[in-house]
Amino acid sequence: PQKPEPVTIHGETWHDSYAWMGSLSDAAAMRHMDVHMEAEEKYAEACLAAAGADRLARKLQLEMASRLASDACTPPARWGPWLYYRRADEGKQYPVLCRRSAALHGEFVSYSDPSAGFDFTAGKRIEQKLVDYNKEAERFGGYSYEELSEVSPDHRFIAYTMYDKDKDSFTLMIRDLVTGTLCDKPRADRVSNISWAMDGKALVYIVTNEDRRPYSIIGSNKDDILMLEEPDENIYLNIRHTKDFRFITLNVFSDTHSKVYLIRASDPLSRMTLVWEGESQVHCIVEHHHGHLYLFTDAAREGVCVNSHYLMQCDVESPGPKSWKNVFLEEPGIILEDVDFCNTHMVLILRQGRKLRLCSVNLPLPENIQVPAHLSDFHPLDLPLPDHVCQILSGPNYDYYSSTMRFTISSPVMPDAVVDYNLLNGKWQIVQQQNMLHERTKVLYGNAFASSAGKLSSDGADLSSEDLGDCDWNELSEYYACEYYDVPSKDGVLVPLTLVYSRKHKQEGNPGLLHGHGAYGEILDKRWRSELKSLLDRGWVIAYADVRGGGGYGKEWHWDGARTKKMNSIYDFVSCGEFLLEKGIIQENKLAGWGYSAGGLLVASAINTRPDLFRAAVLKVPFLDVCNTLLHPILPLTAIDYEEFGFPVDHEEFLSIKKYSPYDNIQKDVPYPAVFVTSSFNTRFGVWEAAKWVAKVRELTQYDPERPVILNLTTDVVEESKYLETKELATETAFLIKMVNNT
């Protein structure tokens, strides 16, 4: 039913017919919403069955499940005398956090089964179970969802936070790893950050208020001591320890400034030292190495905005906002994406256009080189990478004193590879690779899989050795092609477009799926994903549009697709879709769109702009009712959300929001593509956003039974499992295939 409610701002009034769907405090409206959601569920089942998508989904689920990574264990991470890893017991829903001594029978340690073995001297199993998350689920109402966990530097305790559904917050607990028992205190709710101090004898943690704002810091050894409480509603606190555990850094963010304070971990109650301050909404991480502080930030330099992150250095004995010096001279076209430290090296992740680079620099920096200097002056060692790398993530790298560092290397044509690099000589080894096919089909992955997987999981690998050997990159480029294009947008700006397709199944008139995100400066996820193989092997082209608003091309690229410039993101996405059809890469009437969260906003806005361009779309937990949500947030929004999408109290920004908001720009009496919208009751952009948009599209647009608009409710985040995830992906994929291929 429609129950129009007036909304007035800037002298403009409009009526929201479906506002009742978000009236959480109205019991009658919520009872109606329950009935409505049940009807949506039945309608979704009926539409999928009518198209034959339900049968196809069952077939696809079996396909996808057989490809899912069957790794029962994470690759062991060395830290001091221990190897830490999480593994799954057969038949159990949740993993177990374990460790074993690295020194004990090191030659038998296997990446795939580190628990194997027996200590005949002590007469007991090698493995020590630290936290069994199945038992945690029994304590927390059947759910086991951990947000934070930190082992103390003396390896005696673990502090971790578990989601408590009854309290709708994360509860902090400390477990003694020697006895296996929970400590009496501290026990606290609504904990957002934790850091160990005094070599594991004390814990510092941050508590949030009712509005989820991190506002107070508490230090605890025998008793809880309030270190700082911030009453200002606009100020947020965040802590982290430096990798050597010498300091805890306190980041203070507000809508006017950002500050970083240094706390000595050996005496956390001593005076905090202000080491850096800058403008609001900047990223800043401070590390310590041998008497020097390093600051990785994207803050303005001397009042001038910068386009990317940079690295600064100062002396720990004389820190202060004016003490910092740049480490590297700026080089045009080179973006510093991330930096990681160990005792002997720093490792830099650099981007030059589409190309990524991973290189190590010896520490401490040579005294004969005056900073800032060119990167080449420090004689960096380039670490080997495969072709088509789209993302490099630094691993946990807990062990500050190890010269072996772990990174996850991603590519559109290679399953994610967890790689250990020996920084002393540049040698490397794949220790685990996601989504390996079963033994019977391993030929798809070439010879590298046969050699490296056999070596790592069967013969075992000596984790105590730092002398890693080289192996072949286990990529799929022999079977799947990766191509790059620069597509002119509406204003002439070139938008990077990446295509992936099967060499065997590519032909004229392929169907295609265009992915986009374009918000928060986040990099579009272009990693190889096993579920996409079901589309690739059916002749689909998978395309990724790196539209403005997203990340990877500097801050200017991000801000050129945010707030009053948000339409640029949408024009970029539409231009990429038009390019795919004009060039014949994808057949007319066979283009589909895919977007997650803020990417759902992008795809839905693109559909409003050019409904004829797309045949189908999948919107996952999308942000669709932008104007109403920013004006009257039902769930708390952060300052970053307003920075990204605009402040509707500002007239110019309000007009911009009204222009791109998917809910407010649905075209009347026009045929729309088939759309599959997934949402959940436990999502940041509430289920009412999706429900309102779906109802309004059905109300205004031309009805076509061949192009249904479906709302599919998914499980809560805390209930996620591989089975449910695969089921959901199979349903989405079946919907796309039936809607696009059956035209």
Side-chain angles (χ1 to χ4, degrees):
Q2 297 181 37
K3 302 175 186 175
E5 288 184 21
V7 184
T8 302
I9 188 170
H10 301 299
E12 192 176 323
T13 300
W14 67 96
H15 288 81
D16 184 358
S17 299
Y18 303 103
W20 63 270
M21 290 182 174
S23 302
L24 303 190
S25 55
D26 184 336
M30 287 303 95
R31 280 196 300 275
H32 203 124
M33 190 64 169
D34 284 342
V35 173
H36 182 64
M37 287 295 106
E38 280 181 32
E40 286 285 14
E41 208 170 336
K42 287 174 183 168
Y43 180 71
E45 285 173 9
C47 285
L48 292 169
D54 54 344
R55 293 190 302 278
L56 179 57
R58 288 192 287 274
K59 181 184 176 187
L60 290 169
Q61 192 176 358
L62 291 172
E63 256 180 47
M64 292 174 182
S66 70
R67 293 188 212 114
L68 277 178
S70 56
D71 299 306
C73 182
T74 60
R78 173 100 184 237
W79 182 13
W82 297 98
L83 297 170
Y84 289 88
Y85 52 94
R86 290 173 193 252
R87 64 170 181 78
D89 283 329
E90 200 169 331
K92 295 286 180 70
Q93 187 175 358
Y94 299 106
V96 185
L97 175 65
C98 304
R99 72 180 178 189
R100 61 167 286 176
S101 168
L104 198 59
H105 305 310
E107 66 273 19
F108 296 119
V109 176
S110 156
Y111 285 96
S112 58
D113 191 12
S115 63
F118 190 81
D119 182 359
F120 293 100
T121 313
K124 59 184 180 184
R125 283 183 64 82
I126 281 174
E127 181 179 82
Q128 182 185 349
K129 287 187 179 181
L130 306 181
V131 183
D132 185 338
Y133 294 98
N134 298 287
K135 290 182 178 172
E136 296 295 328
E138 292 169 18
R139 297 172 55 226
F140 289 99
Y143 298 115
S144 186
Y145 184 49
E146 178 190 77
E147 185 175 49
L148 308 167
S149 68
E150 290 277 353
V151 174
S152 60
D154 60 358
H155 303 274
R156 171 71 194 265
F157 299 99
I158 182 170
Y160 60 108
T161 62
M162 299 296 298
Y163 180 71
D164 188 326
K165 196 164 190 275
D166 293 335
K167 297 174 181 173
D168 191 24
S169 68
F170 287 90
T171 298
L172 168 69
M173 289 161 299
I174 313 284
R175 190 176 289 276
D176 187 324
L177 298 182
V178 176
T179 64
T181 56
L182 282 172
C183 301
D184 293 336
K185 53 186 182 181
R187 295 278 182 94
D189 294 325
R190 302 199 309 263
V191 171
S192 64
N193 273 120
I194 48 180
S195 276
W196 287 102
M198 298 170 64
D199 288 329
K201 296 180 181 64
L203 183 75
V204 179
Y205 62 94
I206 288 186
V207 174
T208 64
N209 66 4
E210 298 290 345
D211 293 329
R212 303 179 191 244
R213 178 179 69 89
Y215 80 109
S216 72
I217 305 179
I218 296 169
S220 178
N221 52 6
K222 292 188 178 67
D223 299 301
D224 282 356
I225 298 166
L226 183 65
M227 295 169 60
L228 176 71
E229 187 169 274
E230 183 49 70
D232 190 328
E233 285 299 314
N234 292 315
I235 292 181
Y236 297 76
L237 308 177
N238 183 66
I239 55 171
R240 66 180 290 278
H241 63 79
T242 57
K243 293 192 75 173
D244 60 2
F245 285 97
R246 298 282 182 89
F247 298 95
I248 294 170
T249 58
L250 165 64
N251 286 50
V252 180
F253 300 103
S254 82
D255 51 10
T256 58
H257 65 264
S258 303
K259 295 181 180 180
V260 182
Y261 293 86
L262 208 60
I263 301 169
R264 287 196 178 271
S266 57
D267 184 12
L269 298 180
S270 62
R271 190 172 66 87
M272 300 176 187
T273 307
L274 176 67
V275 294
W276 182 85
E277 59 184 325
E279 74 272 25
S280 66
Q281 306 301 332
V282 295
H283 181 230
C284 39
I285 291 179
V286 172
E287 265 302 340
H288 173 253
H289 183 276
H290 291 234
H292 285 100
L293 295 175
Y294 288 88
L295 172 69
F296 178 66
T297 184
D298 60 353
R301 279 197 269 212
E302 295 168 2
V304 179
C305 288
V306 298
N307 195 32
S308 62
H309 285 78
Y310 55 95
L311 191 66
M312 301 180 85
Q313 181 197 67
C314 81
D315 196 311
V316 77
E317 295 304 323
S318 55
K322 303 203 182 303
S323 307
W324 296 93
K325 291 185 290 188
N326 286 323
V327 175
F328 302 115
L329 288 167
E330 204 171 338
E331 299 188 46
I334 295 181
I335 291 172
L336 176 59
E337 288 217 329
D338 203 0
V339 60
D340 202 350
F341 289 83
C342 69
N343 191 41
T344 56
H345 294 80
M346 73 164 89
V347 178
L348 310 171
I349 300 173
L350 303 163
R351 180 184 289 274
Q352 195 162 6
R354 285 191 172 97
K355 195 167 176 60
L356 283 165
R357 182 179 167 198
L358 186 68
C359 62
S360 66
V361 172
N362 286 9
L363 288 178
L365 297 176
E367 290 181 6
N368 62 330
I369 297 178
Q370 288 290 311
V371 296
H374 288 286
L375 174 60
S376 57
D377 295 337
F378 298 102
H379 306 293
L381 173 66
D382 273 277
L383 301 170
L385 292 171
D387 294 332
H388 307 297
V389 175
C390 63
Q391 185 176 297
I392 303 172
L393 292 178
S394 191
N397 296 324
Y398 302 118
D399 199 335
Y400 179 72
Y401 297 100
S402 170
S403 294
T404 296
M405 290 182 79
R406 182 166 290 176
F407 294 86
T408 300
I409 312 297
S410 301
S411 153
V413 287
M414 183 185 81
D416 281 5
V418 181
V419 183
D420 278 354
Y421 288 96
N422 183 337
L423 305 180
L424 300 174
N425 57 21
K427 291 193 172 182
W428 57 284
Q429 186 176 43
I430 297 175
V431 296
Q432 193 175 72
Q433 195 155 22
Q434 290 184 358
N435 302 330
M436 285 294 192
L437 286 194
H438 286 191
E439 195 69 21
R440 61 191 169 81
T441 49
K442 73 181 182 189
V443 66
L444 174 69
Y445 286 84
N447 298 327
F449 173 51
S451 60
S452 66
K455 177 176 67 183
L456 294 180
S457 50
S458 305
D459 304 339
D462 182 3
L463 287 179
S464 61
S465 166
E466 303 248 320
D467 183 28
L468 305 177
D470 289 348
C471 54
D472 293 327
W473 288 106
N474 187 18
E475 54 178 4
L476 313 178
S477 50
E478 188 182 335
Y479 306 94
Y480 300 96
C482 185
E483 293 178 359
Y484 304 101
Y485 297 90
D486 290 310
V487 178
S489 189
K490 187 176 181 179
D491 58 359
V493 169
L494 296 179
V495 182
L497 181 68
T498 304
L499 301 188
V500 181
Y501 59 86
S502 164
R503 294 185 188 276
K504 183 179 175 183
H505 300 101
K506 177 84 161 62
Q507 58 196 38
E508 287 300 313
N510 290 69
L513 183 61
L514 180 61
H515 287 248
H517 186 66
Y520 298 111
E522 293 170 354
I523 292 173
L524 179 63
D525 185 3
K526 298 189 283 285
R527 296 172 302 158
W528 168 267
R529 296 204 305 279
S530 67
E531 68 270 14
L532 292 178
K533 185 177 183 297
S534 294
L535 287 174
L536 291 167
D537 290 353
R538 285 170 170 82
W540 283 59
V541 175
I542 309 295
Y544 301 92
D546 274 303
V547 303
R548 283 172 283 182
Y553 299 92
K555 286 171 76 174
E556 287 175 17
W557 188 260
H558 169 206
W559 293 119
D560 215 17
R563 293 178 82 161
T564 56
K565 296 182 177 179
K566 186 65 195 165
M567 281 305 296
N568 284 341
S569 301
I570 296 140
Y571 293 142
D572 291 355
F573 193 75
V574 168
S575 296
C576 287
E578 290 170 341
F579 175 86
L580 291 168
L581 299 183
E582 285 164 10
K583 297 292 179 188
I585 297 167
I586 291 170
Q587 187 178 321
E588 198 83 32
N589 205 30
K590 287 201 171 183
L591 174 65
W594 193 97
Y596 169 77
S597 190
L601 180 159
L602 173 74
V603 178
S605 296
I607 290 170
N608 285 341
T609 308
R610 283 287 310 277
D612 58 310
L613 189 62
F614 301 92
R615 183 64 183 81
V618 171
L619 312 179
K620 285 179 76 78
V621 291
F623 184 25
L624 298 171
D625 190 12
V626 184
C627 203
N628 288 316
T629 296
L630 293 177
L631 275 173
H632 309 292
I634 296 168
L635 298 175
L637 294 175
T638 65
I640 293 167
D641 293 319
Y642 291 104
E643 284 284 334
E644 187 66 32
F645 300 109
F647 293 82
V649 290
D650 177 283
H651 189 238
E652 185 191 355
E653 299 202 3
F654 163 74
L655 293 174
S656 167
I657 293 163
K658 281 288 280 184
K659 189 177 178 183
Y660 74 76
S661 172
Y663 182 65
D664 299 294
N665 290 283
I666 296 162
Q667 291 197 39
K668 198 167 182 177
D669 299 327
V670 169
Y672 259 45
V675 188
F676 190 84
V677 187
T678 70
S679 193
S680 156
F681 285 107
N682 195 25
T683 178
R684 206 162 77 82
F685 300 124
V687 70
W688 53 88
E689 298 233 359
K692 287 173 71 175
W693 186 84
V694 165
K696 198 169 176 182
V697 168
R698 291 193 193 129
E699 174 203 340
L700 294 179
T701 63
Q702 272 185 26
Y703 172 68
D704 180 352
E706 298 294 311
R707 299 180 177 217
V709 178
I710 296 173
L711 175 57
N712 186 53
L713 277 184
T714 63
T715 51
D716 287 350
V717 174
V718 289
E719 290 186 83
E720 272 186 10
S721 71
K722 286 286 184 196
Y723 168 78
L724 292 171
E725 196 182 324
T726 312
K727 186 178 179 184
E728 192 180 314
L729 292 166
T731 306
E732 291 167 16
T733 307
F735 173 84
L736 288 171
I737 291 170
K738 287 296 181 183
M739 293 301 122
V740 171
N741 284 7
N742 288 1
T743 52

